[in-house]
Structures are given as C-alpha cells and as structure tokens.
Amino acid sequence: MATRPETAKKILLYWMDATFAVMGFMLSMLVLTSAGEGRITVPRAVAAEVCALAALVFLPLILRDAYDDRPRPTAKLVACGLFAASTVALVPSSGATGSWEMAGCFFLSALALYVPLWATVCVGAALVALTTFYVSAVSDQPWPALLLSLTLSAVLLPATMMIWRWLWWTLREAYDSREAKATLAVSNERLRFARDLHDLLGHSLSVLTLKSELAAKLATIDAGKAAAEMADVRRLAAESLAEVQAAVDGYRVLDLDEELAGVRAALEAAGARCVIEARTDDLSPAARTLLAWAVREGGTNVLKHSTATRCAIVIDGGVLEMRNDGVRGPATGPDGSGLRGLAERMSAAGGSFTTAATPSGEFLLRAAVSA
C-alpha cells in the first residue's frame, strides 16, 4: 500500500525526535557520571547539560523548517551551533569517553539541510579538525582515534539526514504526480465528451438557428413556406435529440471489468489498498452495466468523501459489496447526487442499493441486481 506523504513525513520526523531524545538521555547520564566521579565540577556539569539539551531541542525545530524545501540559514540554526560548540568546549578535561564531540556532528547534520554540499564539506572538515585538536589537547585521548571517530560521524550523520529528507521529497513528488495524473485523466474525459457533443450539436444547432430566423421572416410574407421551414426545424430538432440520446447511451454502457480495473488503479494511486473478488461470468449485459455504474460511483465516493486506506470489492451472484475503512461520520443512506441517482436507477431496474456505516467502523455500499 502506498504511504500518504504527510504520514511518511511524520514517521521520519518522529523517528529523528526519538533519536535526539536518546542522545539527550545519554549525555545526561554522562554528565551525572562525570560529576559524581569528580572529573567535572558541578557548575561546569550544569552548564554542559544546559548547552547539550538546548542544542538537542533546537534540532527538531530546525529539521521541520527544512523538510519541505532548502531554506536559508536561520537564527535557530545559529543558536543550535553556538550551543553545540559550547557543549564541545565543556568536555571533561580527563578521562573523557568521547561522547561530547558528537554534538558538533549533530549540528553538522542539520546544517547540511540548509547549505549546498560543498559548504557542508568545508564546514565539516573545519569542525572535525578543530574538535579533534581541542578534545585531544584537553583530554588524554590520542588524536588519530579521535580523528577517525569524528570523520565517520561527520560523514554518516549528515548523509543519513539528507537521505531521510530525500525520501520524504520522493514520496511527496510521487503522490503529487499520481494526483496530477488522476486530474488529467478526468480533464481528458471531459474534453472528449465536450468534443463529441460539439460534433453532434454544432452543425444541427446552426441549421436550426438559420431556419428559425428564415421562418420568422417568412411568417408575414408566405405563411406556407414559413410552416414548411418550421416543420424542418421540428424534424432537425428530433434528429438532434435522437443523436444526443444515442451518444449518452453509448457513454452509459460501461464495461464491468474495465471499471473494476480503473477503480483499483485510482484507489491505489490515492494510497488505498484495493482487493477485488469478482465472479461475473453468469451476469447478463444489463446487470453488468448496472454493477459497473455502482463500482464507478462507489469508487468516486471513496476518493472524494473518505480517508480510506483499504477497500474491498466483492461481486457474487449479482450482489456487489464495497467496504472501506475511511468512514468520517455516521451514514444511513445514499449521500450525494451520484449515489442518489444510482439508487434510483437500481430501483427502476428491479434491484436494490444501500449504503451504511458498519459496527466495525467501515463504510459498506451494497448493490443487488437480477443476474
């Protein structure tokens, strides 16, 4: 099932929020451990804790600003960088475990969402070099190990952050393209129908207009010719009406298999999983047409008036049941002109049509026709 883009965005952001929360917990434990062992003074521990947590609080806000596009650096980004730098500066002077310097890499991962790649690489190289020199100078850690650890973090954390945002952009663009494709299909169908009506009625209406004007002019001159012209007008009007009725009937003859395939494609494009079980070999052409209309109207109702993530369509013995989990409120009968019209058509053909919310929280459309 396709994932709706806003849902995917929330999942990614909540995942990163949880990551920052875990990082904050680890840093807090490090502060308490270092202060308890006397490797860092209490005032310095408090300052380090405040700076670390402040940087981690700013990070989710920064990410939310940069997830839909690439904005210019903001004051929040600068503040986060200052808190991260202060955190690194307050690293314990001896016996350090190598966790404080990660704050700078987290800031670099946020910066990568705001600036081009070349700028990220330059800032990352400077950050790794300065942090390695500082931490190695104030602690007993050898600089080669620090350099390797910081380099890996400075590469992996920004890369992961950029991949997550790219994944969100890809989902959003795919969803937008599917919506555009569905809209384009509807527009093309309207244009085709408009062309057919124009071809059918354009000439006929022009002739009717001319003959009516001629009859009006002849009415005071030659009543016989005027009557003949009006007889032609009536004949042409009847022929035009018959042509329109034939065209509309042609549009009304739907293929059940095509409608099932079309509804499935439309629902899955909208992010709803569609399962179809159809046994239609024993249905008459009239029954298949009625059920095809029910499938089309039911699919349209799901797309326009629900938030469904799954839809099941079952046809057996001339009975159609469409269930979806996108109920927005109680429903006791056909709602909307399309469903009301379908109910009237089913009733006129000797069938039945009902819509209702089920106790299980689903919306059920049921149509029965004579096989």
Side-chain angles (χ1 to χ4, degrees):
M1 181 184 67
T3 303
R4 296 181 184 272
E6 288 301 321
T7 301
K9 178 182 178 180
K10 290 179 180 179
I11 292 173
L12 293 173
L13 290 176
Y14 291 161
W15 178 270
M16 286 183 285
D17 291 346
T19 301
F20 297 141
V22 171
M23 185 65 182
F25 176 78
M26 293 173 60
L27 291 178
S28 297
M29 292 299 100
L30 179 60
V31 168
L32 293 176
T33 301
S34 299
E37 295 177 353
R39 293 188 287 108
I40 184 173
T41 63
V42 173
R44 191 172 182 179
V46 172
E49 176 72 7
V50 170
C51 291
L53 295 182
L56 293 176
V57 167
F58 271 108
L59 281 172
L61 303 177
I62 293 170
L63 296 179
R64 280 162 172 77
D65 292 341
Y67 240 61
D68 287 318
D69 52 22
R70 186 191 292 277
R72 301 179 66 180
T74 62
K76 284 184 283 188
L77 184 64
V78 175
C80 181
L82 292 176
F83 282 120
S86 300
T87 301
V88 176
L90 292 169
V91 64
S93 59
S94 63
T97 60
S99 298
W100 288 108
E101 60 268 22
M102 291 293 294
C105 296
F106 271 91
F107 167 73
L108 182 64
S109 66
L111 181 68
L113 303 180
Y114 284 79
V115 299
L117 180 60
W118 66 266
T120 303
V121 172
C122 293
V123 174
L127 185 147
V128 168
L130 291 174
T131 305
T132 300
F133 174 78
Y134 175 76
V135 175
S136 179
V138 300
S139 69
D140 297 330
Q141 299 184 70
W143 70 266
L146 272 173
L147 180 63
L148 178 61
S149 174
L150 284 173
T151 301
L152 289 175
S153 299
V155 171
L156 294 179
L157 287 177
T160 301
M161 198 71 69
M162 294 176 71
I163 288 173
W164 280 351
R165 185 175 67 174
W166 171 83
L167 178 60
W168 153 237
W169 283 359
T170 301
L171 288 172
R172 182 185 61 185
E173 291 171 0
Y175 189 82
D176 290 344
S177 66
R178 286 171 177 171
E179 285 193 332
K181 183 178 179 181
T183 302
L184 182 60
V186 173
S187 299
N188 287 338
E189 182 65 17
R190 289 174 176 172
L191 289 174
R192 185 167 67 91
F193 189 73
R195 281 197 305 269
D196 289 349
L197 285 180
H198 178 270
D199 294 341
L200 287 172
L201 296 177
H203 175 72
S204 298
L205 291 177
S206 298
V207 174
L208 287 172
T209 301
L210 292 174
K211 284 187 170 292
S212 298
E213 293 175 351
L214 179 59
K217 293 179 180 179
L218 292 173
T220 57
I221 303 174
D222 191 334
K225 289 185 178 180
E229 292 295 337
M230 290 307 300
D232 284 342
V233 168
R234 183 176 62 182
R235 177 181 58 79
L236 287 173
E239 291 177 355
S240 298
L241 179 60
E243 290 177 349
V244 171
Q245 289 175 339
V248 172
D249 289 339
Y251 276 96
R252 286 179 176 174
V253 177
L254 303 181
D255 182 80
L256 179 57
D257 294 332
E258 291 181 359
E259 290 302 318
L260 288 171
V263 166
R264 169 185 279 170
L267 290 176
E268 291 184 347
R273 181 172 177 266
C274 184
V275 178
I276 297 177
E277 296 180 12
R279 290 175 285 276
T280 61
D281 294 338
D282 56 344
L283 296 178
S284 65
R288 291 175 65 89
T289 299
L290 285 172
L291 291 182
W293 273 107
V295 168
R296 171 179 284 191
E297 292 294 340
T300 301
N301 189 61
V302 173
L303 290 171
K304 293 177 63 177
H305 304 297
S306 79
T307 56
T309 59
R310 66 178 183 274
C311 180
I313 303 175
V314 178
I315 301 178
D316 188 15
V319 178
L320 162 71
E321 289 189 352
M322 292 183 65
R323 297 176 180 267
N324 72 82
D325 63 347
V327 177
R328 289 180 176 172
T332 57
D335 184 22
S337 59
L339 293 182
R340 284 197 298 269
L342 182 60
E344 294 171 358
R345 180 180 299 176
M346 287 287 182
S347 178
S352 62
F353 179 83
T354 58
T355 59
T358 66
S360 61
E362 296 180 321
F363 185 84
L364 172 63
L365 180 152
R366 188 178 189 277
V369 297
S370 300

